[in-house]
Amino acid sequence: MAVQESNPFGQRDPRVITLKEPVAPAPRPAGKPAEAPLLEVEDLNTWFPIKKGVFARTAGYVKAVNGVSFSMRPGETLGVVGESGCGKSTLSRTILRLEKPHSGKIRFLGRDVLSLRGRDLQQYRRDMQVVFQDPHATLNPRHSVLDILTEGMLVHGLIKSKEAEDVAARLLRDVGLQPDAMHRYPHAFSGGQRQRICIARALALTPKMIICDEAVSALDLSIRAQVLNLLMELKDKYHLAYLFITHDIGVVEHIADNIIVMYKGQIVERGPAEQVLLHPKEPYTQRLIAAVPRVGGTAINA
């Protein structure tokens, strides 16, 4: 059942967008050992060299990610919050191995991600999917939705060609679209519908974790709420973990179990979502909270 939520920094307001109430995780039985971490990042540094002079010698580094460490459990949603340029997207690209780190360790299910090669790397890319900010730029305009959703499954040998339409229809239903959409092309959809297609594509390979890199920031407020509700439903249905990256700290209130706040490539605050939102310790976190959009003096949940 949908509930009317209000931002913890303001009073209730009928203009606050409606989000479904997240289901609290079941308490762990007494004496049961804690689950092994799904993802572990240890002292990760992703630096970009600054070249100067005729011979383009390295004069220094832009430390986009500087000494970042954290871990995630299976089924956890970790919110990564910070302003543009703080290093949060570089962090996600490094975890995905789209950027090469200067130093540090990344472990997924106990395995060293940076040393993976061949089939092991292919399996990692299947288990770790991503939804980017701009769905228009991440969908091939020459491919139909059917091709977009099933290409990865065919490459990994998860389905046969004759099963493609049935599987695509199921994925489209899971993200709230009609099965006949599979025969259309990306230009025929709105921004919110395209993002649903991107989410369906990420789900196609049955990943253990999805990185949402500003996945709702380009959407209208009402559509943003719908997509957040969808992500929460899919998390329970597919037993997913999310690394949810955003510049809007008001968004992670509804979806994150824990939050880390990044500033100039470093983590400046971390903790359970409620603790960070209601009792922020760092002035930078307080400024992010104060920047949540307001209408008539009341904070808007986005």
Side-chain angles (χ1 to χ4, degrees), residues 81-227:
V81 184
E83 62 190 348
S84 297
C86 72
K88 56 189 187 297
S89 290
T90 302
L91 172 64
S92 71
R93 290 176 62 83
T94 306
I95 293 171
L96 290 165
R97 284 196 49 175
L98 299 177
E99 299 287 356
K100 185 177 180 179
H102 184 81
S103 62
K105 297 179 180 179
I106 304 172
R107 288 185 290 271
F108 187 76
L109 293 173
R111 302 189 69 181
D112 181 7
V113 170
L114 301 178
S115 66
L116 295 178
R117 299 290 184 274
R119 290 190 177 182
D120 291 335
L121 179 58
Q122 189 179 45
Q123 180 63 46
Y124 174 68
R125 296 198 186 284
R126 174 184 166 185
D127 289 335
M128 178 79 72
Q129 290 291 295
V130 61
V131 178
F132 290 107
Q133 177 178 355
D134 185 0
H136 180 72
T138 56
L139 296 175
N140 191 328
R142 296 176 179 271
H143 286 187
S144 68
V145 172
L146 174 63
D147 294 333
I148 289 170
L149 296 184
T150 59
E151 181 180 20
M153 290 185 283
L154 291 169
V155 168
H156 284 270
L158 301 179
I159 62 170
K160 298 179 180 178
S161 298
K162 63 182 180 181
E163 301 170 323
E165 289 197 3
D166 291 338
V167 173
R170 173 179 58 80
L171 288 169
L172 289 169
R173 290 192 190 97
D174 282 347
V175 298
L177 295 175
Q178 294 300 316
D180 59 6
M182 74 175 74
H183 301 296
R184 297 157 64 189
Y185 289 80
H187 72 270
F189 298 92
S190 68
Q193 290 172 327
R194 288 187 194 126
Q195 198 64 296
R196 289 173 183 266
I197 293 169
C198 291
I199 293 170
R201 178 178 60 184
L203 292 173
L205 296 179
T206 60
K208 295 180 173 63
M209 178 174 170
I210 296 179
I211 296 178
C212 300
D213 190 354
E214 299 281 10
V216 299
S217 64
L219 305 177
D220 293 338
L221 287 178
S222 59
I223 304 301
R224 187 181 302 182
Q226 294 173 19
V227 173

Side-chain angles (χ1 to χ4, degrees), residues 14-87:
R15 292 163 293 193
V16 175
I17 63 174
T18 302
L19 285 169
K20 293 182 179 179
E21 186 174 17
V23 179
R28 191 171 70 246
K32 184 177 178 180
E35 288 183 282
L38 176 67
L39 175 69
E40 299 171 274
V41 174
E42 183 180 334
D43 195 24
L44 187 65
N45 298 281
T46 304
W47 300 353
F48 299 103
I50 302 171
K51 303 289 186 179
K52 289 186 178 181
V54 176
F55 299 102
R57 291 173 177 163
T58 300
Y61 292 92
V62 175
K63 298 181 180 181
V65 176
N66 191 20
V68 169
S69 299
F70 65 88
S71 64
M72 291 180 61
R73 305 183 310 275
E76 177 185 350
T77 299
L78 177 65
V80 182
V81 184
E83 62 190 348
S84 297
C86 72

